[in-house]
Amino acid sequence: MASIEMRNIVKQYGDGFPAVNDVSLDIADGEFMILVGPSGCGKSTLLRMIVGLEDITSGDMIIGGKRVNDLAPRDRNLSMVFQNYALYPHMTVYENIAFPLRLAKMPDDEVRRRVTEASDVLELKDHLERKPANLSGGQRQRVAMGRAIVRQAEAFLFDEPLSNLDAKLRGQMRTEISRLQRRLGITTVYVTHDQTEAMTLGDRVCVLRKGKIQQVASPRELYEQPVNLFVAGFIGSPPMNFLPAHVEGGRLQTPFGSITLDERRAAAIQGRDLLLVGIRPEYFEDASLVDEAKRPLGSLFRARVDVTEWLGDSQYAYIPYEAPEAIRNQLRDLSRELDAEELRTQAIVSIDATSRIREGREAEFWLDARKVHVFDPQTGENLTRDAEAGARLTQMATEDRVEQVHEAQAQGTTVGGGGASRAGAA
Ligand SMILES: Nc1ncnc2c1ncn2[C@@H]1O[C@H](COP(=O)(O)OP(=O)(O)OP(=O)(O)O)[C@@H](O)[C@H]1O
Ligand SMILES: [Mg+2]
C-alpha cells in the first residue's frame, strides 16, 4: 500500500491540447479517492499517468514516496480495473484470477492460496471452474477485481468499472467495492461520472473540469460547501437551482421574493449588484407544512406550480420563473457542459409527500434562507462558502473512514487474515 502524490501534473497530447492541466493532488495511504467530472475532463488520462500507461508531459508522480515518472507500468505494482475488463473466455474463473500470478511465475501452491483468498472475499468460490460466458455481469466484474486483488498491489485504480452494468447490479457492485476497499485498506483511485458512485464510495472526491481541479473534499463538503457554480451544478440530483438575484438594502431580490441573509453571508455580497443564488430542491417546503418556530428562519413566496411529481417519500414541484437573457445564456452554457438536460428556467422544488399543492395552481412556499448559496455570475465563485465549516466536514469524514478501516482490520477480515500477506507483495 502506498500514498500517491501528484505535483503539477500536465499532460499534453500530440496537438498540444492540455488534457490534464497542472494537477496537484495528495492521496493518503489507504484512502479511497474519486475522480469525477464531465466527459473529456481528463479523468482517464490522469489515471493512466498514475499507472504508467501514458507519459507525463511535466510534473512529478510520486508513489509511496518514490518518483515514478520514468518507471514502466509493471515496476509500479499497481492494479488497474478498466471499464471493459477483458476476461479470457477460454480460461476458467480460477485461471482468469490467477493470470497475473502465472505471468510472474509464482509457484502453484502460492497461486492457489491467493486465488482462494480472493475468491472467498468476492464470493466466487463456487464458480472457480466456470468459464466467463457462464457468469452474470456482476460475477464477471468480480473476477476482474479478483485479478486485481491477487496481485497485492500498492494501489487499485478503477476506470468506470461499473458503467457496463445495469442499474441494479451497479448498486450491488458499488456496495461490494466499498466493503472490499474498507476491508483491504488499499489506496484506491476510482474514476466515474456517476453521481451516486462519486457521493457514496469515496473518502474524498476530486472534481475535474477541463483538466483542472475544481475542488477536492468529502462528498458532504462538496454538497454543502461547493467552491463554484460548476461544482454546485455537478453534484446533486436533481441539481441545485440557480436564480438571478440583485442586492437591495442588504437583501437579495429573487424571482421568488426577497431573501434576508445572515450577517456572514450579507457581508460576503456587500457592494455587489447582479448575482446568482443557488438553492437546492430540498431547501424549499410547502409553507403550510412549516411550523411556526421555523418560519421566520426562511422566506415565504407565492408561485404557480407547473408540474408536480409524486415520489412516495417526497414530491417535486416545478416552478417557472423569469431570468434576464444574460443569465439564461450563462445557465445554458453551464448545463451543456454538465451534460444536463436542456436548461429550463424553472426551479425544481422538493416538498413533503403529504403536501396538497396542485398542478396549475398557485401555492405558498417557504425557503430556508440559512442554506442558500450566492455565486458571482462572472467568475462562478461561491461568495458565501464557509471554508472552515467545509474543512471540518472533510476532516470528520476522513476520521470516520480510518476508524472503519481499523475496525475491519481488527476483526481479521483482510485478505490473508492480516497485513502480513499484503506486505509481502510480489
Ligand atoms: N490519445 C489521445 N490523443 C489526443 N487527445 C486525447 C487522447 N486521449 C484523450 N485525449 C483528449 O484528452 C481529453 C481528456 O480525455 P480523457 O479520456 O482523459 O477524458 P475522461 O475525463 O476520461 O472522459 P470520459 O468520461 O469520456 O471517459 C479529451 O479532450 C480527449 O479528447
Ligand atoms: Mg474516461
Side-chain angles (χ1 to χ4, degrees):
M1 286 182 293
S3 61
I4 300 172
E5 297 162 61
M6 298 173 225
R7 300 263 170 275
N8 310 101
I9 296 284
V10 174
K11 173 68 188 185
Q12 281 174 322
Y13 283 110
D15 55 5
F17 172 80
V20 170
N21 196 349
D22 198 19
V23 162
S24 295
L25 179 63
D26 280 354
I27 304 169
D29 189 358
E31 187 173 22
F32 199 139
M33 175 69 78
I34 305 283
L35 302 180
V36 75
S39 187
C41 70
K43 304 179 294 290
S44 297
T45 302
L46 196 54
L47 206 64
R48 291 166 62 82
M49 285 192 286
I50 300 175
V51 203
L53 294 173
E54 206 71 73
D55 287 336
I56 297 166
T57 307
S58 66
D60 298 311
M61 183 68 72
I62 299 158
I63 299 177
K66 205 167 81 185
R67 188 174 184 274
V68 299
N69 288 46
D70 304 317
L71 275 190
R74 66 173 178 282
D75 298 325
R76 298 189 191 189
N77 192 28
L78 307 171
S79 267
M80 182 139 171
V81 180
F82 295 93
Q83 178 174 349
N84 299 306
Y85 43 90
L87 300 180
Y88 297 101
H90 58 286
M91 289 185 189
T92 61
V93 167
Y94 184 99
E95 285 306 327
N96 264 289
I97 296 178
F99 189 74
L101 307 180
R102 301 284 189 215
L103 275 187
K105 307 237 179 326
M106 187 174 282
D108 273 347
D109 51 344
E110 179 63 10
V111 171
R112 193 171 318 112
R113 197 180 65 75
R114 290 202 191 183
V115 174
T116 307
E117 282 171 0
S119 55
D120 277 356
V121 171
L122 294 164
E123 290 172 27
L124 282 172
K125 57 175 184 290
D126 297 335
H127 310 305
L128 287 173
E129 294 314 316
R130 287 201 203 172
K131 300 276 171 63
N134 303 323
L135 296 175
S136 72
Q139 288 165 338
R140 271 181 234 154
Q141 180 66 45
R142 276 182 264 161
V143 176
M145 286 178 49
R147 193 191 275 166
I149 292 176
V150 287
R151 292 199 35 219
Q152 302 180 343
E154 301 284 354
F156 283 161
L157 305 165
F158 291 95
D159 195 350
E160 312 222 21
L162 307 184
S163 54
N164 284 334
L165 306 179
D166 67 46
K168 180 156 169 268
L169 208 48
R170 223 167 33 225
Q172 280 172 14
M173 286 310 298
R174 199 172 64 223
T175 321
E176 276 180 39
I177 290 178
S178 174
R179 208 179 53 206
L180 200 65
Q181 197 272 347
R182 221 160 286 201
R183 235 192 241 192
L184 302 173
I186 292 185
T187 314
T188 301
V189 188
Y190 189 105
V191 165
T192 182
H193 55 242
D194 181 294
Q195 271 284 328
T196 321
E197 283 176 25
M199 295 300 274
T200 54
L201 274 174
D203 300 316
R204 287 191 298 157
V205 180
C206 171
V207 183
L208 291 161
R209 177 195 200 181
K210 296 180 181 163
K212 279 188 177 293
I213 292 184
Q214 303 292 299
Q215 186 169 10
V216 185
S218 66
R220 195 152 160 203
E221 178 176 356
L222 285 184
Y223 193 81
E224 293 181 4
Q225 306 286 347
V227 291
N228 58 26
L229 269 180
F230 180 84
V231 176
F234 191 76
I235 303 289
S237 172
M240 189 184 278
N241 299 295
F242 298 115
L243 306 174
H246 60 269
V247 187
E248 232 177 73
R251 292 162 68 84
L252 276 175
Q253 304 298 334
T254 79
F256 296 158
S258 80
I259 301 175
T260 310
L261 298 174
D262 59 47
E263 270 174 43
R264 192 184 61 78
R265 278 161 213 246
I269 58 163
Q270 206 163 27
R272 302 277 184 157
D273 182 22
L274 192 64
L275 294 163
L276 271 177
V277 193
I279 313 176
R280 293 209 182 271
E282 69 273 19
Y283 299 172
F284 292 91
E285 190 48 89
D286 173 348
S288 68
L289 301 176
V290 178
D291 60 47
E292 288 304 322
K294 222 170 133 187
R295 280 170 96 89
L297 301 172
S299 308
L300 294 166
F301 67 95
R302 298 193 66 83
R304 200 185 68 84
V305 176
D306 191 22
V307 176
T308 59
E309 289 170 350
W310 193 75
L311 301 170
D313 58 341
S314 67
Q315 57 185 318
Y316 296 141
Y318 293 78
I319 313 177
Y321 62 85
E322 301 289 323
E325 196 184 341
I327 297 273
R328 278 207 312 273
N329 290 341
Q330 192 187 9
L331 292 178
R332 183 171 309 120
D333 291 347
L334 184 68
S335 55
R336 236 179 241 147
E337 199 189 339
L338 294 172
D339 293 328
E341 290 164 52
E342 192 49 31
L343 170 95
R344 297 158 303 194
T345 41
Q346 58 179 353
I348 304 181
V349 163
S350 168
I351 53 181
D352 198 274
T354 59
S355 163
R356 307 304 296 261
I357 279 172
R358 289 273 177 278
E359 284 182 8
R361 301 250 185 95
E362 209 177 69
E364 190 179 33
F365 292 93
W366 177 85
L367 84 83
D368 196 338
R370 296 167 299 177
K371 291 187 173 163
V372 302
H373 306 269
V374 187
F375 300 91
D376 180 320
Q378 260 80 52
T379 64
E381 185 198 353
N382 183 350
L383 302 168
T384 47
R385 177 175 129 82
D386 186 346
E388 256 173 59
R392 266 199 310 278
L393 290 177
T394 292
Q395 180 67 24
M396 267 160 45
T398 313
E399 281 165 8
D400 265 8
R401 179 67 166 220
V402 168
E403 205 170 287
Q404 283 167 351
V405 168
H406 286 169
E407 259 169 36
Q409 292 180 339
Q411 287 164 9
T413 48
T414 50
V415 169
S421 68
R422 283 198 320 273

